[in-house]
Amino acid sequence: MEFQTQQESFQFDFSNTSDSEIWFRNLFQSVNSFSSLDYNPWVGSVIGSVIVGLSGIFPLLVIPIDGGVNITKGVNGDRLKLLLSFAVGGLLGDVFLHLLPEAWDLQSKHTAIRDMHEHPSMYCGLWVLTGLLVFIIVEKLFARENPEKLAEEVKLKEKAKEAVKNNNNLKTTTDDDGKGKEISGYLNLMANVIDNFTHGLAVGGSFLLSYRVGVLTTLAILVHEVPHEVGDFAILLRAGFSRLDAAKAQIVTASSSLVGACTAVAFSGAADVIEQKTSWILPFTAGGFLHIAMVTVLPELVEEKSRWESFKQLLFLILGIGVMALLTYVIDD
């Protein structure tokens, strides 16, 4: 009571303060009472998940390369290789600095409740291996062509292009350009669907706590996702997607974020059960990202003959890891 009396007398004595000071004081009081506002968590969860999903369009604005680029030749090929190097670094950083630590913490909490003799590393490790093997099996099943056929196809394309330049009216190449996309692009989209679902769960769960926590969580995920989306966009371009097709695919995969947010809010009464039942998603996604980075993208980068280009690719790979490490440190801090 004494404190309140002193505070009231303080405000009375300085009633002639400037308008700016009064405005900042009112703003401070509004922010303090912001988290206690009565609101519908459905609205915040849907808006937050949509905003996170729209981050997939951002690379369309900053990457000037079109799909179907031959990554072995030309200036565009060199640029795409640098973006792919950044993508590899971003995926590795996401796996080892974000997904696995979060999965470990989540499983440790449930292991402590369930069984003290079960170590969380076994559970997470098995699901990482499962994700890795599933992606390998899917790629094996749906791979369309072997390297020899691909080399022959490239030769035919080059011959046909020369023939077109000589006005020989050969149209065998245009049908082949838009024919199909590599399975690696679809694998990346599949991993993103699962990853975006977990982001939606996080957004929905945070808006259940308060509006302020939901906004902060949405911003944190958005900042974390932007460099990740740039890497995903480069992987889709490498797989033969056009820029527009890649953007559309990113938006479609982002819809799983909305599903995750709605799931978290709809089953808010059983939050612990949902968290326990979906604890496998993070390590499984980590295994899929490892496959995309180390099996699909990195082998083509290793074949680079130019030392200068290899050095630049290594720098971009380290940059990708560094960006994810910095974001993880800032967000977790």
Side-chain angles (χ1 to χ4, degrees):
M1 295 295 294
E2 293 180 358
F3 176 75
Q4 292 179 354
T5 305
Q6 291 175 0
Q7 188 176 15
E8 290 174 359
S9 63
F10 176 81
Q11 292 176 351
F12 179 79
D13 292 339
F14 292 91
S15 58
N16 57 348
T17 53
S18 64
D19 293 339
S20 60
E21 291 178 354
I22 295 175
W23 184 84
F24 278 112
R25 185 179 299 172
N26 292 334
L27 179 63
F28 180 75
Q29 293 174 352
S30 300
V31 171
N32 280 340
S33 61
F34 193 58
S35 60
S36 62
L37 288 176
D38 215 4
Y39 75 101
N40 188 347
W42 279 100
V43 177
S45 299
V46 170
I47 294 176
S49 59
V50 169
I51 291 174
V52 171
L54 290 178
S55 63
I57 305 178
F58 176 77
L60 187 65
L61 307 175
V62 298
I63 298 179
I65 305 172
D66 203 353
V69 176
N70 185 353
I71 69 170
T72 62
K73 295 181 181 180
V75 177
N76 283 339
D78 291 337
R79 290 176 181 172
L80 183 56
K81 283 184 179 181
L82 294 180
L83 289 174
L84 290 172
S85 301
F86 181 84
V88 170
L91 288 173
L92 293 178
D94 198 19
V95 167
F96 291 106
L97 303 177
H98 174 63
L99 292 178
L100 289 182
E102 188 174 342
W104 187 291
D105 290 341
L106 184 63
Q107 188 59 28
S108 297
K109 182 173 68 174
H110 293 304
T111 300
I113 298 174
R114 251 192 353 258
D115 185 7
M116 293 300 295
H117 299 289
E118 182 182 348
H119 201 278
S121 63
M122 178 65 70
Y123 180 89
C124 293
L126 286 175
W127 275 112
V128 170
L129 291 174
T130 301
L132 189 62
L133 290 174
V134 166
F135 274 64
I136 291 174
I137 292 170
V138 171
E139 187 166 17
K140 285 286 188 181
L141 289 176
F142 294 98
R144 294 184 300 108
E145 49 214 358
N146 56 35
E148 293 180 358
K149 286 185 179 180
L150 188 60
E152 291 178 3
E153 215 173 306
V154 171
K155 290 180 181 178
L156 289 175
K157 283 184 180 181
E158 292 178 352
K159 289 181 180 179
K161 286 179 180 178
E162 290 178 0
V164 169
K165 288 180 181 179
N166 294 329
N167 296 323
N168 287 334
N169 296 325
L170 291 180
K171 299 181 179 179
T172 56
T173 60
T174 54
D175 296 333
D176 196 52
D177 286 339
K179 188 168 165 180
K181 302 174 179 68
E182 293 183 14
I183 187 63
S184 60
Y186 294 105
L187 286 174
N188 187 65
L189 292 175
M190 186 175 80
N192 280 332
V193 168
I194 302 173
D195 190 41
N196 288 331
F197 180 79
T198 62
H199 291 155
L201 288 176
V203 170
S206 63
F207 274 103
L208 285 172
L209 297 176
S210 72
Y211 192 84
R212 183 172 61 182
V213 173
V215 170
L216 292 176
T217 302
T218 301
L219 290 176
I221 294 176
L222 185 63
V223 171
H224 185 274
E225 274 298 288
V226 167
H228 186 75
E229 295 291 349
V230 171
D232 290 338
F233 203 80
I235 292 173
L236 292 178
L237 293 181
R238 172 199 167 277
F241 285 71
S242 68
R243 295 174 73 241
L244 185 59
D245 287 341
K248 290 179 180 178
Q250 294 282 70
I251 294 176
V252 171
T253 58
S255 61
S256 64
S257 176
L258 182 61
V259 175
C262 293
T263 301
V265 178
F267 297 95
S268 57
D272 291 337
V273 176
I274 293 177
E275 192 177 68
Q276 186 172 349
K277 295 296 183 183
T278 58
S279 60
W280 61 272
I281 292 179
L282 290 175
F284 181 87
T285 306
F289 283 164
L290 281 177
H291 170 81
I292 294 169
M294 305 301 292
V295 178
T296 303
V297 180
L298 190 60
E300 295 185 6
L301 299 176
V302 172
E303 294 177 359
E304 176 62 51
K305 298 295 193 300
S306 171
R307 291 185 178 181
W308 173 239
E309 291 298 327
S310 296
F311 178 72
K312 289 195 295 184
Q313 291 168 18
L314 180 61
L315 288 181
F316 269 74
L317 192 150
I318 296 173
L319 177 64
I321 296 175
V323 168
M324 300 307 287
L326 178 62
L327 292 176
T328 301
Y329 174 78
V330 172
I331 292 171
D332 291 345
D333 196 46

mmCIF file with all atom_site columns, all heavy atoms in Angstrom, residues 277-301:
data_model
loop_
_atom_site.group_PDB
_atom_site.id
_atom_site.type_symbol
_atom_site.label_atom_id
_atom_site.label_alt_id
_atom_site.label_comp_id
_atom_site.label_asym_id
_atom_site.label_entity_id
_atom_site.label_seq_id
_atom_site.pdbx_PDB_ins_code
_atom_site.Cartn_x
_atom_site.Cartn_y
_atom_site.Cartn_z
_atom_site.occupancy
_atom_site.B_iso_or_equiv
_atom_site.pdbx_formal_charge
_atom_site.auth_seq_id
_atom_site.auth_comp_id
_atom_site.auth_asym_id
_atom_site.auth_atom_id
_atom_site.pdbx_PDB_model_num
ATOM 1   N N   . LYS A 1 277 ? 3.297  -38.466 -28.445 1.00 0.00 ? 277 LYS A N   1
ATOM 2   C CA  . LYS A 1 277 ? 3.012  -39.262 -29.629 1.00 0.00 ? 277 LYS A CA  1
ATOM 3   C C   . LYS A 1 277 ? 3.750  -38.758 -30.869 1.00 0.00 ? 277 LYS A C   1
ATOM 4   O O   . LYS A 1 277 ? 3.995  -39.517 -31.808 1.00 0.00 ? 277 LYS A O   1
ATOM 5   C CB  . LYS A 1 277 ? 1.506  -39.264 -29.910 1.00 0.00 ? 277 LYS A CB  1
ATOM 6   C CG  . LYS A 1 277 ? 0.667  -39.939 -28.832 1.00 0.00 ? 277 LYS A CG  1
ATOM 7   C CD  . LYS A 1 277 ? 0.985  -41.414 -28.721 1.00 0.00 ? 277 LYS A CD  1
ATOM 8   C CE  . LYS A 1 277 ? 0.073  -42.086 -27.692 1.00 0.00 ? 277 LYS A CE  1
ATOM 9   N NZ  . LYS A 1 277 ? 0.421  -43.528 -27.520 1.00 0.00 ? 277 LYS A NZ  1
ATOM 10  N N   . THR A 1 278 ? 4.079  -37.462 -30.901 1.00 0.00 ? 278 THR A N   1
ATOM 11  C CA  . THR A 1 278 ? 4.756  -36.889 -32.071 1.00 0.00 ? 278 THR A CA  1
ATOM 12  C C   . THR A 1 278 ? 6.251  -36.669 -31.834 1.00 0.00 ? 278 THR A C   1
ATOM 13  O O   . THR A 1 278 ? 6.899  -35.989 -32.616 1.00 0.00 ? 278 THR A O   1
ATOM 14  C CB  . THR A 1 278 ? 4.108  -35.550 -32.458 1.00 0.00 ? 278 THR A CB  1
ATOM 15  O OG1 . THR A 1 278 ? 4.176  -34.643 -31.347 1.00 0.00 ? 278 THR A OG1 1
ATOM 16  C CG2 . THR A 1 278 ? 2.660  -35.742 -32.855 1.00 0.00 ? 278 THR A CG2 1
ATOM 17  N N   . SER A 1 279 ? 6.797  -37.225 -30.764 1.00 0.00 ? 279 SER A N   1
ATOM 18  C CA  . SER A 1 279 ? 8.212  -37.005 -30.457 1.00 0.00 ? 279 SER A CA  1
ATOM 19  C C   . SER A 1 279 ? 9.139  -37.659 -31.473 1.00 0.00 ? 279 SER A C   1
ATOM 20  O O   . SER A 1 279 ? 10.313 -37.307 -31.559 1.00 0.00 ? 279 SER A O   1
ATOM 21  C CB  . SER A 1 279 ? 8.527  -37.543 -29.054 1.00 0.00 ? 279 SER A CB  1
ATOM 22  O OG  . SER A 1 279 ? 8.263  -38.935 -28.979 1.00 0.00 ? 279 SER A OG  1
ATOM 23  N N   . TRP A 1 280 ? 8.608  -38.593 -32.269 1.00 0.00 ? 280 TRP A N   1
ATOM 24  C CA  . TRP A 1 280 ? 9.424  -39.268 -33.285 1.00 0.00 ? 280 TRP A CA  1
ATOM 25  C C   . TRP A 1 280 ? 9.639  -38.385 -34.517 1.00 0.00 ? 280 TRP A C   1
ATOM 26  O O   . TRP A 1 280 ? 10.557 -38.647 -35.317 1.00 0.00 ? 280 TRP A O   1
ATOM 27  C CB  . TRP A 1 280 ? 8.746  -40.559 -33.731 1.00 0.00 ? 280 TRP A CB  1
ATOM 28  C CG  . TRP A 1 280 ? 7.397  -40.341 -34.360 1.00 0.00 ? 280 TRP A CG  1
ATOM 29  C CD1 . TRP A 1 280 ? 6.199  -40.274 -33.720 1.00 0.00 ? 280 TRP A CD1 1
ATOM 30  C CD2 . TRP A 1 280 ? 7.122  -40.128 -35.750 1.00 0.00 ? 280 TRP A CD2 1
ATOM 31  N NE1 . TRP A 1 280 ? 5.188  -40.029 -34.611 1.00 0.00 ? 280 TRP A NE1 1
ATOM 32  C CE2 . TRP A 1 280 ? 5.718  -39.941 -35.865 1.00 0.00 ? 280 TRP A CE2 1
ATOM 33  C CE3 . TRP A 1 280 ? 7.896  -40.077 -36.902 1.00 0.00 ? 280 TRP A CE3 1
ATOM 34  C CZ2 . TRP A 1 280 ? 5.102  -39.712 -37.086 1.00 0.00 ? 280 TRP A CZ2 1
ATOM 35  C CZ3 . TRP A 1 280 ? 7.277  -39.849 -38.116 1.00 0.00 ? 280 TRP A CZ3 1
ATOM 36  C CH2 . TRP A 1 280 ? 5.897  -39.672 -38.196 1.00 0.00 ? 280 TRP A CH2 1
ATOM 37  N N   . ILE A 1 281 ? 8.812  -37.350 -34.700 1.00 0.00 ? 281 ILE A N   1
ATOM 38  C CA  . ILE A 1 281 ? 8.846  -36.563 -35.935 1.00 0.00 ? 281 ILE A CA  1
ATOM 39  C C   . ILE A 1 281 ? 10.182 -35.837 -36.089 1.00 0.00 ? 281 ILE A C   1
ATOM 40  O O   . ILE A 1 281 ? 10.768 -35.817 -37.178 1.00 0.00 ? 281 ILE A O   1
ATOM 41  C CB  . ILE A 1 281 ? 7.677  -35.568 -35.957 1.00 0.00 ? 281 ILE A CB  1
ATOM 42  C CG1 . ILE A 1 281 ? 6.347  -36.318 -36.083 1.00 0.00 ? 281 ILE A CG1 1
ATOM 43  C CG2 . ILE A 1 281 ? 7.827  -34.577 -37.100 1.00 0.00 ? 281 ILE A CG2 1
ATOM 44  C CD1 . ILE A 1 281 ? 5.132  -35.411 -36.093 1.00 0.00 ? 281 ILE A CD1 1
ATOM 45  N N   . LEU A 1 282 ? 10.688 -35.231 -35.018 1.00 0.00 ? 282 LEU A N   1
ATOM 46  C CA  . LEU A 1 282 ? 11.924 -34.450 -35.116 1.00 0.00 ? 282 LEU A CA  1
ATOM 47  C C   . LEU A 1 282 ? 13.121 -35.313 -35.526 1.00 0.00 ? 282 LEU A C   1
ATOM 48  O O   . LEU A 1 282 ? 13.824 -34.962 -36.482 1.00 0.00 ? 282 LEU A O   1
ATOM 49  C CB  . LEU A 1 282 ? 12.192 -33.734 -33.791 1.00 0.00 ? 282 LEU A CB  1
ATOM 50  C CG  . LEU A 1 282 ? 11.242 -32.591 -33.442 1.00 0.00 ? 282 LEU A CG  1
ATOM 51  C CD1 . LEU A 1 282 ? 11.554 -32.045 -32.050 1.00 0.00 ? 282 LEU A CD1 1
ATOM 52  C CD2 . LEU A 1 282 ? 11.340 -31.472 -34.467 1.00 0.00 ? 282 LEU A CD2 1
ATOM 53  N N   . PRO A 1 283 ? 13.412 -36.443 -34.852 1.00 0.00 ? 283 PRO A N   1
ATOM 54  C CA  . PRO A 1 283 ? 14.555 -37.253 -35.302 1.00 0.00 ? 283 PRO A CA  1
ATOM 55  C C   . PRO A 1 283 ? 14.338 -37.884 -36.669 1.00 0.00 ? 283 PRO A C   1
ATOM 56  O O   . PRO A 1 283 ? 15.294 -38.038 -37.437 1.00 0.00 ? 283 PRO A O   1
ATOM 57  C CB  . PRO A 1 283 ? 14.703 -38.314 -34.201 1.00 0.00 ? 283 PRO A CB  1
ATOM 58  C CG  . PRO A 1 283 ? 13.393 -38.360 -33.518 1.00 0.00 ? 283 PRO A CG  1
ATOM 59  C CD  . PRO A 1 283 ? 12.834 -36.975 -33.600 1.00 0.00 ? 283 PRO A CD  1
ATOM 60  N N   . PHE A 1 284 ? 13.095 -38.233 -37.007 1.00 0.00 ? 284 PHE A N   1
ATOM 61  C CA  . PHE A 1 284 ? 12.815 -38.783 -38.338 1.00 0.00 ? 284 PHE A CA  1
ATOM 62  C C   . PHE A 1 284 ? 13.115 -37.749 -39.415 1.00 0.00 ? 284 PHE A C   1
ATOM 63  O O   . PHE A 1 284 ? 13.735 -38.050 -40.441 1.00 0.00 ? 284 PHE A O   1
ATOM 64  C CB  . PHE A 1 284 ? 11.348 -39.225 -38.411 1.00 0.00 ? 284 PHE A CB  1
ATOM 65  C CG  . PHE A 1 284 ? 10.959 -39.825 -39.737 1.00 0.00 ? 284 PHE A CG  1
ATOM 66  C CD1 . PHE A 1 284 ? 11.144 -41.176 -39.978 1.00 0.00 ? 284 PHE A CD1 1
ATOM 67  C CD2 . PHE A 1 284 ? 10.413 -39.037 -40.743 1.00 0.00 ? 284 PHE A CD2 1
ATOM 68  C CE1 . PHE A 1 284 ? 10.793 -41.739 -41.205 1.00 0.00 ? 284 PHE A CE1 1
ATOM 69  C CE2 . PHE A 1 284 ? 10.058 -39.578 -41.967 1.00 0.00 ? 284 PHE A CE2 1
ATOM 70  C CZ  . PHE A 1 284 ? 10.247 -40.934 -42.200 1.00 0.00 ? 284 PHE A CZ  1
ATOM 71  N N   . THR A 1 285 ? 12.672 -36.498 -39.189 1.00 0.00 ? 285 THR A N   1
ATOM 72  C CA  . THR A 1 285 ? 12.961 -35.413 -40.131 1.00 0.00 ? 285 THR A CA  1
ATOM 73  C C   . THR A 1 285 ? 14.460 -35.157 -40.225 1.00 0.00 ? 285 THR A C   1
ATOM 74  O O   . THR A 1 285 ? 14.980 -34.869 -41.316 1.00 0.00 ? 285 THR A O   1
ATOM 75  C CB  . THR A 1 285 ? 12.243 -34.133 -39.689 1.00 0.00 ? 285 THR A CB  1
ATOM 76  O OG1 . THR A 1 285 ? 10.849 -34.401 -39.514 1.00 0.00 ? 285 THR A OG1 1
ATOM 77  C CG2 . THR A 1 285 ? 12.415 -33.030 -40.720 1.00 0.00 ? 285 THR A CG2 1
ATOM 78  N N   . ALA A 1 286 ? 15.157 -35.259 -39.099 1.00 0.00 ? 286 ALA A N   1
ATOM 79  C CA  . ALA A 1 286 ? 16.616 -35.082 -39.106 1.00 0.00 ? 286 ALA A CA  1
ATOM 80  C C   . ALA A 1 286 ? 17.275 -36.111 -40.007 1.00 0.00 ? 286 ALA A C   1
ATOM 81  O O   . ALA A 1 286 ? 18.201 -35.792 -40.770 1.00 0.00 ? 286 ALA A O   1
ATOM 82  C CB  . ALA A 1 286 ? 17.166 -35.187 -37.682 1.00 0.00 ? 286 ALA A CB  1
ATOM 83  N N   . GLY A 1 287 ? 16.815 -37.358 -39.950 1.00 0.00 ? 287 GLY A N   1
ATOM 84  C CA  . GLY A 1 287 ? 17.356 -38.386 -40.837 1.00 0.00 ? 287 GLY A CA  1
ATOM 85  C C   . GLY A 1 287 ? 17.100 -38.084 -42.303 1.00 0.00 ? 287 GLY A C   1
ATOM 86  O O   . GLY A 1 287 ? 17.967 -38.285 -43.154 1.00 0.00 ? 287 GLY A O   1
ATOM 87  N N   . GLY A 1 288 ? 15.896 -37.560 -42.606 1.00 0.00 ? 288 GLY A N   1
ATOM 88  C CA  . GLY A 1 288 ? 15.599 -37.187 -43.994 1.00 0.00 ? 288 GLY A CA  1
ATOM 89  C C   . GLY A 1 288 ? 16.466 -36.048 -44.485 1.00 0.00 ? 288 GLY A C   1
ATOM 90  O O   . GLY A 1 288 ? 16.974 -36.072 -45.620 1.00 0.00 ? 288 GLY A O   1
ATOM 91  N N   . PHE A 1 289 ? 16.684 -35.038 -43.638 1.00 0.00 ? 289 PHE A N   1
ATOM 92  C CA  . PHE A 1 289 ? 17.543 -33.923 -44.021 1.00 0.00 ? 289 PHE A CA  1
ATOM 93  C C   . PHE A 1 289 ? 18.992 -34.379 -44.215 1.00 0.00 ? 289 PHE A C   1
ATOM 94  O O   . PHE A 1 289 ? 19.697 -33.874 -45.101 1.00 0.00 ? 289 PHE A O   1
ATOM 95  C CB  . PHE A 1 289 ? 17.480 -32.832 -42.962 1.00 0.00 ? 289 PHE A CB  1
ATOM 96  C CG  . PHE A 1 289 ? 16.229 -32.001 -43.029 1.00 0.00 ? 289 PHE A CG  1
ATOM 97  C CD1 . PHE A 1 289 ? 15.845 -31.202 -41.959 1.00 0.00 ? 289 PHE A CD1 1
ATOM 98  C CD2 . PHE A 1 289 ? 15.431 -32.009 -44.151 1.00 0.00 ? 289 PHE A CD2 1
ATOM 99  C CE1 . PHE A 1 289 ? 14.696 -30.433 -42.020 1.00 0.00 ? 289 PHE A CE1 1
ATOM 100 C CE2 . PHE A 1 289 ? 14.276 -31.250 -44.229 1.00 0.00 ? 289 PHE A CE2 1
ATOM 101 C CZ  . PHE A 1 289 ? 13.906 -30.459 -43.155 1.00 0.00 ? 289 PHE A CZ  1
ATOM 102 N N   . LEU A 1 290 ? 19.449 -35.314 -43.388 1.00 0.00 ? 290 LEU A N   1
ATOM 103 C CA  . LEU A 1 290 ? 20.809 -35.843 -43.562 1.00 0.00 ? 290 LEU A CA  1
ATOM 104 C C   . LEU A 1 290 ? 20.951 -36.529 -44.910 1.00 0.00 ? 290 LEU A C   1
ATOM 105 O O   . LEU A 1 290 ? 21.969 -36.382 -45.592 1.00 0.00 ? 290 LEU A O   1
ATOM 106 C CB  . LEU A 1 290 ? 21.134 -36.830 -42.437 1.00 0.00 ? 290 LEU A CB  1
ATOM 107 C CG  . LEU A 1 290 ? 21.538 -36.234 -41.090 1.00 0.00 ? 290 LEU A CG  1
ATOM 108 C CD1 . LEU A 1 290 ? 21.742 -37.347 -40.065 1.00 0.00 ? 290 LEU A CD1 1
ATOM 109 C CD2 . LEU A 1 290 ? 22.820 -35.418 -41.228 1.00 0.00 ? 290 LEU A CD2 1
ATOM 110 N N   . HIS A 1 291 ? 19.938 -37.275 -45.306 1.00 0.00 ? 291 HIS A N   1
ATOM 111 C CA  . HIS A 1 291 ? 19.989 -37.948 -46.612 1.00 0.00 ? 291 HIS A CA  1
ATOM 112 C C   . HIS A 1 291 ? 20.056 -36.927 -47.748 1.00 0.00 ? 291 HIS A C   1
ATOM 113 O O   . HIS A 1 291 ? 20.865 -37.074 -48.673 1.00 0.00 ? 291 HIS A O   1
ATOM 114 C CB  . HIS A 1 291 ? 18.759 -38.834 -46.786 1.00 0.00 ? 291 HIS A CB  1
ATOM 115 C CG  . HIS A 1 291 ? 18.610 -39.375 -48.178 1.00 0.00 ? 291 HIS A CG  1
ATOM 116 N ND1 . HIS A 1 291 ? 19.310 -40.475 -48.628 1.00 0.00 ? 291 HIS A ND1 1
ATOM 117 C CD2 . HIS A 1 291 ? 17.871 -38.945 -49.235 1.00 0.00 ? 291 HIS A CD2 1
ATOM 118 C CE1 . HIS A 1 291 ? 19.000 -40.708 -49.892 1.00 0.00 ? 291 HIS A CE1 1
ATOM 119 N NE2 . HIS A 1 291 ? 18.135 -39.792 -50.284 1.00 0.00 ? 291 HIS A NE2 1
ATOM 120 N N   . ILE A 1 292 ? 19.213 -35.900 -47.683 1.00 0.00 ? 292 ILE A N   1
ATOM 121 C CA  . ILE A 1 292 ? 19.189 -34.897 -48.748 1.00 0.00 ? 292 ILE A CA  1
ATOM 122 C C   . ILE A 1 292 ? 20.537 -34.179 -48.845 1.00 0.00 ? 292 ILE A C   1
ATOM 123 O O   . ILE A 1 292 ? 21.068 -33.967 -49.939 1.00 0.00 ? 292 ILE A O   1
ATOM 124 C CB  . ILE A 1 292 ? 18.053 -33.895 -48.498 1.00 0.00 ? 292 ILE A CB  1
ATOM 125 C CG1 . ILE A 1 292 ? 16.699 -34.600 -48.616 1.00 0.00 ? 292 ILE A CG1 1
ATOM 126 C CG2 . ILE A 1 292 ? 18.127 -32.733 -49.484 1.00 0.00 ? 292 ILE A CG2 1
ATOM 127 C CD1 . ILE A 1 292 ? 15.529 -33.769 -48.132 1.00 0.00 ? 292 ILE A CD1 1
ATOM 128 N N   . ALA A 1 293 ? 21.106 -33.821 -47.684 1.00 0.00 ? 293 ALA A N   1
ATOM 129 C CA  . ALA A 1 293 ? 22.356 -33.059 -47.681 1.00 0.00 ? 293 ALA A CA  1
ATOM 130 C C   . ALA A 1 293 ? 23.544 -33.915 -48.093 1.00 0.00 ? 293 ALA A C   1
ATOM 131 O O   . ALA A 1 293 ? 24.322 -33.523 -48.974 1.00 0.00 ? 293 ALA A O   1
ATOM 132 C CB  . ALA A 1 293 ? 22.595 -32.462 -46.292 1.00 0.00 ? 293 ALA A CB  1
ATOM 133 N N   . MET A 1 294 ? 23.694 -35.085 -47.488 1.00 0.00 ? 294 MET A N   1
ATOM 134 C CA  . MET A 1 294 ? 24.913 -35.875 -47.649 1.00 0.00 ? 294 MET A CA  1
ATOM 135 C C   . MET A 1 294 ? 24.865 -36.843 -48.821 1.00 0.00 ? 294 MET A C   1
ATOM 136 O O   . MET A 1 294 ? 25.911 -37.177 -49.381 1.00 0.00 ? 294 MET A O   1
ATOM 137 C CB  . MET A 1 294 ? 25.183 -36.660 -46.358 1.00 0.00 ? 294 MET A CB  1
ATOM 138 C CG  . MET A 1 294 ? 25.250 -35.798 -45.102 1.00 0.00 ? 294 MET A CG  1
ATOM 139 S SD  . MET A 1 294 ? 26.534 -34.530 -45.200 1.00 0.00 ? 294 MET A SD  1
ATOM 140 C CE  . MET A 1 294 ? 28.002 -35.548 -45.162 1.00 0.00 ? 294 MET A CE  1
ATOM 141 N N   . VAL A 1 295 ? 23.680 -37.315 -49.194 1.00 0.00 ? 295 VAL A N   1
ATOM 142 C CA  . VAL A 1 295 ? 23.571 -38.324 -50.256 1.00 0.00 ? 295 VAL A CA  1
ATOM 143 C C   . VAL A 1 295 ? 23.146 -37.706 -51.580 1.00 0.00 ? 295 VAL A C   1
ATOM 144 O O   . VAL A 1 295 ? 23.666 -38.064 -52.644 1.00 0.00 ? 295 VAL A O   1
ATOM 145 C CB  . VAL A 1 295 ? 22.574 -39.432 -49.846 1.00 0.00 ? 295 VAL A CB  1
ATOM 146 C CG1 . VAL A 1 295 ? 22.408 -40.461 -50.965 1.00 0.00 ? 295 VAL A CG1 1
ATOM 147 C CG2 . VAL A 1 295 ? 23.032 -40.108 -48.563 1.00 0.00 ? 295 VAL A CG2 1
ATOM 148 N N   . THR A 1 296 ? 22.219 -36.749 -51.517 1.00 0.00 ? 296 THR A N   1
ATOM 149 C CA  . THR A 1 296 ? 21.662 -36.206 -52.755 1.00 0.00 ? 296 THR A CA  1
ATOM 150 C C   . THR A 1 296 ? 22.465 -35.036 -53.306 1.00 0.00 ? 296 THR A C   1
ATOM 151 O O   . THR A 1 296 ? 22.767 -34.997 -54.505 1.00 0.00 ? 296 THR A O   1
ATOM 152 C CB  . THR A 1 296 ? 20.203 -35.766 -52.519 1.00 0.00 ? 296 THR A CB  1
ATOM 153 O OG1 . THR A 1 296 ? 19.444 -36.879 -52.033 1.00 0.00 ? 296 THR A OG1 1
ATOM 154 C CG2 . THR A 1 296 ? 19.588 -35.258 -53.809 1.00 0.00 ? 296 THR A CG2 1
ATOM 155 N N   . VAL A 1 297 ? 22.809 -34.077 -52.470 1.00 0.00 ? 297 VAL A N   1
ATOM 156 C CA  . VAL A 1 297 ? 23.407 -32.827 -52.948 1.00 0.00 ? 297 VAL A CA  1
ATOM 157 C C   . VAL A 1 297 ? 24.923 -32.838 -52.888 1.00 0.00 ? 297 VAL A C   1
ATOM 158 O O   . VAL A 1 297 ? 25.598 -32.477 -53.862 1.00 0.00 ? 297 VAL A O   1
ATOM 159 C CB  . VAL A 1 297 ? 22.856 -31.631 -52.134 1.00 0.00 ? 297 VAL A CB  1
ATOM 160 C CG1 . VAL A 1 297 ? 23.464 -30.330 -52.619 1.00 0.00 ? 297 VAL A CG1 1
ATOM 161 C CG2 . VAL A 1 297 ? 21.335 -31.574 -52.226 1.00 0.00 ? 297 VAL A CG2 1
ATOM 162 N N   . LEU A 1 298 ? 25.493 -33.247 -51.751 1.00 0.00 ? 298 LEU A N   1
ATOM 163 C CA  . LEU A 1 298 ? 26.935 -33.118 -51.544 1.00 0.00 ? 298 LEU A CA  1
ATOM 164 C C   . LEU A 1 298 ? 27.792 -33.867 -52.563 1.00 0.00 ? 298 LEU A C   1
ATOM 165 O O   . LEU A 1 298 ? 28.824 -33.335 -52.993 1.00 0.00 ? 298 LEU A O   1
ATOM 166 C CB  . LEU A 1 298 ? 27.291 -33.573 -50.124 1.00 0.00 ? 298 LEU A CB  1
ATOM 167 C CG  . LEU A 1 298 ? 28.725 -33.271 -49.674 1.00 0.00 ? 298 LEU A CG  1
ATOM 168 C CD1 . LEU A 1 298 ? 28.998 -31.769 -49.695 1.00 0.00 ? 298 LEU A CD1 1
ATOM 169 C CD2 . LEU A 1 298 ? 28.977 -33.833 -48.278 1.00 0.00 ? 298 LEU A CD2 1
ATOM 170 N N   . PRO A 1 299 ? 27.431 -35.104 -52.985 1.00 0.00 ? 299 PRO A N   1
ATOM 171 C CA  . PRO A 1 299 ? 28.291 -35.800 -53.972 1.00 0.00 ? 299 PRO A CA  1
ATOM 172 C C   . PRO A 1 299 ? 28.532 -35.012 -55.246 1.00 0.00 ? 299 PRO A C   1
ATOM 173 O O   . PRO A 1 299 ? 29.638 -35.060 -55.804 1.00 0.00 ? 299 PRO A O   1
ATOM 174 C CB  . PRO A 1 299 ? 27.505 -37.091 -54.247 1.00 0.00 ? 299 PRO A CB  1
ATOM 175 C CG  . PRO A 1 299 ? 26.742 -37.335 -52.992 1.00 0.00 ? 299 PRO A CG  1
ATOM 176 C CD  . PRO A 1 299 ? 26.349 -35.973 -52.503 1.00 0.00 ? 299 PRO A CD  1
ATOM 177 N N   . GLU A 1 300 ? 27.545 -34.277 -55.734 1.00 0.00 ? 300 GLU A N   1
ATOM 178 C CA  . GLU A 1 300 ? 27.740 -33.484 -56.948 1.00 0.00 ? 300 GLU A CA  1
ATOM 179 C C   . GLU A 1 300 ? 28.668 -32.297 -56.690 1.00 0.00 ? 300 GLU A C   1
ATOM 180 O O   . GLU A 1 300 ? 29.413 -31.892 -57.583 1.00 0.00 ? 300 GLU A O   1
ATOM 181 C CB  . GLU A 1 300 ? 26.393 -32.997 -57.474 1.00 0.00 ? 300 GLU A CB  1
ATOM 182 C CG  . GLU A 1 300 ? 25.489 -34.132 -57.936 1.00 0.00 ? 300 GLU A CG  1
ATOM 183 C CD  . GLU A 1 300 ? 24.210 -33.617 -58.556 1.00 0.00 ? 300 GLU A CD  1
ATOM 184 O OE1 . GLU A 1 300 ? 24.093 -32.382 -58.723 1.00 0.00 ? 300 GLU A OE1 1
ATOM 185 O OE2 . GLU A 1 300 ? 23.333 -34.431 -58.873 1.00 0.00 ? 300 GLU A OE2 1
ATOM 186 N N   . LEU A 1 301 ? 28.631 -31.751 -55.489 1.00 0.00 ? 301 LEU A N   1
ATOM 187 C CA  . LEU A 1 301 ? 29.521 -30.644 -55.160 1.00 0.00 ? 301 LEU A CA  1
ATOM 188 C C   . LEU A 1 301 ? 30.960 -31.119 -55.013 1.00 0.00 ? 301 LEU A C   1
ATOM 189 O O   . LEU A 1 301 ? 31.896 -30.389 -55.331 1.00 0.00 ? 301 LEU A O   1
ATOM 190 C CB  . LEU A 1 301 ? 29.059 -29.971 -53.867 1.00 0.00 ? 301 LEU A CB  1
ATOM 191 C CG  . LEU A 1 301 ? 27.649 -29.359 -53.899 1.00 0.00 ? 301 LEU A CG  1
ATOM 192 C CD1 . LEU A 1 301 ? 27.284 -28.802 -52.530 1.00 0.00 ? 301 LEU A CD1 1
ATOM 193 C CD2 . LEU A 1 301 ? 27.553 -28.271 -54.957 1.00 0.00 ? 301 LEU A CD2 1
#
